[in-house]
Amino acid sequence: MTTSTANTQALTLRYGQQSVPAAGPWSSTIEGLLAHRSVRKYKPTPLESGTLETLIAAAQSASTSSNLQCWSVVNVTDPAIRSELAKIASGQKHIEQCPLFLVWLCDLSRNRRLGEAHDIELTSLELTESFLVGVVDAALAAQNAVVAAESLGLSTVYIGALRNDAERVAQLLKLPQGAFAVFGLCIGYADTETEVKPRLPQPAVLFENHYSTPNEHVLRNGYDETLGEFSRRHEMAHDTWSARVIDRTQKKAAVGGRAQLKSILERLGFPLR
Amino acid sequence: MTTSTANTQALTLRYGQQSVPAAGPWSSTIEGLLAHRSVRKYKPTPLESGTLETLIAAAQSASTSSNLQCWSVVNVTDPAIRSELAKIASGQKHIEQCPLFLVWLCDLSRNRRLGEAHDIELTSLELTESFLVGVVDAALAAQNAVVAAESLGLSTVYIGALRNDAERVAQLLKLPQGAFAVFGLCIGYADTETEVKPRLPQPAVLFENHYSTPNEHVLRNGYDETLGEFSRRHEMAHDTWSARVIDRTQKKAAVGGRAQLKSILERLGFPLR
């Protein structure tokens, strides 16, 4: 298969026949990125020794704002804690089944302790900006771990549903004030075949100089069709993307305990000033 | 060079001689992740045709919470806008010099418009949770673009300093309510040699089951030494990491306009309820 054929095939799976972008240069790493699928069923096969350390080295190699390194990660090996976390995440069984489950933290507490060691109060840590820095740091690090894992033939899925009860997660993992579990991540060998999920066409998310949406409804309708085919093949609850977005975001109740995130964050040491 | 030699060399650059983790499996993609350096000086060489589309395809292949795709990206080609953005970012010249400059948005506005098209108000969009989802979505997407770019021999640097005045950025890029520029990203061919920057040793950021920091001060002192050598070689302002963290986070004034992020976000359509 030529590079250009592989490239077209990967782009067609990601965007559907109608919306293949005019992509250019290609690499085996990019091939891997394009092939990403979230996997929710894992074999019990344990990971090769040293895999965790490799993934964390990849994670720490990501950019971090001003090298402040405002993130940490908890490797949850205790089945009792896994079981509690799965309950918080509406019973997602793969949290208990996967060989490696990592919880990624926005962590301002390490730098607060550093200040305390020098008898200095780091007042900027209470700002919304500092919270944002920690969340972005954690996300960049985690994504590098995902890319590294997939390059080793492993599969992954992010678990945002830990935020259904971020306070209980903090208790279970004994997090100090100023640390917050942004999401979990399951890692292991896939025990299921999954298809690449199509995304919105590029013109719906990419703008030049100014944000502008003259054809948005046309792009959306096309995407509803593309994702509709995908959803019907997988017997998913919602035919179209539009229906799913509306269902997920119409009522605050649909996001469950996550609607309380603001007050929970305050209790966890993030006043978001 | 055997895999294991390449692996040890990359890990030594990332952690210093004293803190090389016992990493295991390896891949060329991981090799690329470990070699990441932020680059702040670019050649004028234009990018190969189709590079932007390749990078966005990589970005859209990242996970996105519930497939809501709450992010967008603006490709800034107008030199006048680039110049204004550089001013906001304390005069970072590479924003004007790099061949590709992307601004990554936490974007709830697309889904709000989708709701409006169905005459439905998506009330959860005002939640802190929804803001968090958009920020994480944008960060995961951007990091995939970074990994893709570096796999093509390109270099990058994130520009968090756009948040010095997130409101002015929104005006310049004509962002609708509910879209917020999380950070910029310079992409191009490096016009400078840079070294891999060492990070904290793994035991300082990785925990098992419970957060616990018995040896944190020892790890910190070791890292201060490792980064001290790096900083002296590069004539950086702060010898140690500790000094840098304290300087950067002691006073709210040190983060400049970012101290106002909370009220700016409110005006941009993120009440963070």
Side-chain angles (χ1 to χ4, degrees):
Chain A
M1 190 156 54
T2 65
T3 300
S4 134
T5 315
N7 154 332
T8 305
Q9 202 167 75
L11 292 164
T12 305
L13 288 173
R14 184 57 73 193
Y15 290 101
Q17 295 278 4
Q18 313 308 317
S19 305
V20 176
W26 207 249
S27 70
S28 60
T29 295
I30 292 171
E31 189 75 26
L33 296 172
L34 266 282
H36 166 76
R37 284 91 95 194
S38 294
V39 163
R40 294 180 177 81
K41 197 166 176 220
Y42 294 93
K43 293 179 184 158
T45 319
L47 305 186
E48 203 179 315
S49 157
T51 300
L52 173 64
E53 289 77 6
T54 295
L55 301 185
I56 301 305
Q60 289 194 270
S61 298
S63 288
T64 147
S65 184
S66 304
N67 199 30
L68 295 176
Q69 303 180 60
C70 293
W71 64 274
S72 294
V73 60
V74 182
N75 172 25
V76 183
T77 57
D78 180 343
I81 302 180
R82 290 260 201 128
S83 158
E84 290 300 312
L85 294 175
K87 275 182 217 155
I88 290 167
S90 317
Q92 295 185 53
K93 280 280 166 212
H94 34 285
I95 294 174
E96 295 177 77
Q97 288 161 348
C98 62
L100 182 60
F101 185 68
L102 301 176
V103 179
W104 298 83
L105 313 176
C106 159
D107 188 1
L108 307 181
S109 79
R110 187 186 306 112
N111 291 353
R112 185 171 291 147
R113 289 190 295 280
L114 187 160
E116 284 163 4
H118 290 81
D119 254 331
I120 292 169
E121 197 195 341
L122 304 180
T123 58
S124 82
L125 295 182
E126 63 185 30
L127 295 171
T128 302
E129 162 69 15
S130 298
F131 172 71
L132 181 74
V133 161
V135 167
V136 170
D137 270 10
L140 301 183
Q143 185 58 17
N144 259 19
V146 164
V147 172
E150 292 184 346
S151 82
L152 297 172
L154 296 163
S155 292
T156 64
V157 64
Y158 282 104
I159 308 292
L162 291 189
R163 296 194 303 274
N164 287 344
D165 192 346
E167 201 162 17
R168 175 86 180 119
V169 174
Q171 285 161 0
L172 286 165
L173 307 181
K174 301 192 179 165
L175 304 188
Q177 283 275 303
F180 154 65
V182 188
F183 44 66
L185 182 71
C186 297
I187 301 171
Y189 295 98
D191 193 20
T192 170
E193 293 277 321
T194 46
E195 244 185 289
V196 163
K197 187 180 281 181
R199 300 283 194 235
L200 284 163
Q202 290 202 352
V205 304
L206 171 64
F207 309 103
E208 186 167 354
N209 293 317
H210 298 125
Y211 196 110
S212 142
T213 60
N215 297 313
E216 194 171 61
H217 63 288
V218 179
L219 298 169
R220 195 164 57 217
N221 292 343
Y223 182 58
D224 271 343
E225 237 172 79
T226 303
L227 204 65
E229 288 166 26
F230 177 93
S231 300
R232 283 187 291 277
R233 270 201 306 280
H234 294 78
E235 297 175 12
M236 291 167 76
H238 301 292
D239 249 22
T240 67
W241 183 66
S242 293
R244 183 176 173 88
V245 169
I246 288 172
D247 189 60
R248 195 76 186 75
T249 48
Q250 181 172 11
K251 300 246 165 66
K252 289 176 190 170
V255 298
R258 288 179 249 188
Q260 273 74 57
L261 189 60
K262 167 121 179 62
S263 54
I264 290 176
L265 282 172
E266 190 148 358
R267 292 198 292 279
L268 296 180
F270 299 91
L272 302 192
R273 296 233 159 79
Chain B
M1 188 156 57
T2 64
T3 301
S4 135
T5 315
N7 155 333
T8 306
Q9 204 169 72
L11 292 164
T12 306
L13 288 174
R14 184 57 73 195
Y15 290 102
Q17 295 276 4
Q18 312 308 314
S19 306
V20 176
W26 207 249
S27 69
S28 61
T29 294
I30 292 172
E31 189 76 25
L33 295 173
L34 265 282
H36 166 76
R37 287 91 98 191
S38 293
V39 163
R40 294 179 176 82
K41 199 170 173 215
Y42 294 92
K43 294 179 184 159
T45 320
L47 304 186
E48 204 179 313
S49 157
T51 301
L52 173 65
E53 289 77 6
T54 295
L55 301 184
I56 300 306
Q60 289 194 270
S61 298
S63 289
T64 149
S65 185
S66 304
N67 199 30
L68 295 177
Q69 306 181 59
C70 293
W71 66 275
S72 294
V73 60
V74 182
N75 172 24
V76 183
T77 56
D78 180 344
I81 302 179
R82 290 261 199 126
S83 159
E84 290 300 312
L85 294 176
K87 275 182 215 155
I88 290 167
S90 317
Q92 295 186 53
K93 279 282 167 210
H94 34 285
I95 295 174
E96 295 176 78
Q97 288 161 350
C98 63
L100 181 60
F101 186 69
L102 301 176
V103 178
W104 298 84
L105 313 177
C106 159
D107 189 0
L108 306 182
S109 80
R110 186 185 308 109
N111 290 354
R112 184 170 295 146
R113 288 190 295 279
L114 188 159
E116 284 163 2
H118 291 80
D119 254 329
I120 291 169
E121 198 192 345
L122 304 181
T123 60
S124 82
L125 294 183
E126 65 185 28
L127 294 172
T128 301
E129 162 69 13
S130 298
F131 173 71
L132 182 74
V133 161
V135 167
V136 170
D137 270 11
L140 301 183
Q143 186 57 17
N144 259 19
V146 163
V147 171
E150 292 184 348
S151 82
L152 297 173
L154 296 163
S155 293
T156 64
V157 64
Y158 282 104
I159 308 291
L162 289 190
R163 297 194 302 275
N164 288 343
D165 192 345
E167 202 163 16
R168 175 85 180 119
V169 173
Q171 285 161 358
L172 286 165
L173 306 181
K174 301 191 179 167
L175 304 187
Q177 282 276 303
F180 155 65
V182 187
F183 44 66
L185 183 71
C186 298
I187 301 172
Y189 295 98
D191 193 20
T192 173
E193 293 278 319
T194 46
E195 247 185 285
V196 163
K197 187 180 281 182
R199 300 283 195 233
L200 284 164
Q202 289 201 353
V205 305
L206 171 64
F207 309 103
E208 187 167 355
N209 292 319
H210 297 126
Y211 196 109
S212 140
T213 60
N215 297 314
E216 193 171 61
H217 63 291
V218 178
L219 298 168
R220 194 163 57 216
N221 291 343
Y223 182 58
D224 271 343
E225 237 173 78
T226 303
L227 203 66
E229 288 166 26
F230 178 91
S231 299
R232 284 188 292 278
R233 270 203 304 282
H234 294 79
E235 297 175 8
M236 289 167 78
H238 301 290
D239 249 24
T240 68
W241 183 66
S242 293
R244 183 178 174 86
V245 169
I246 288 172
D247 189 61
R248 195 75 184 74
T249 48
Q250 181 172 10
K251 301 244 165 68
K252 289 178 191 168
V255 298
R258 289 179 247 187
Q260 272 74 59
L261 188 60
K262 167 115 176 63
S263 54
I264 289 175
L265 282 172
E266 190 149 357
R267 291 197 293 277
L268 296 180
F270 300 92
L272 303 190
R273 298 234 157 79

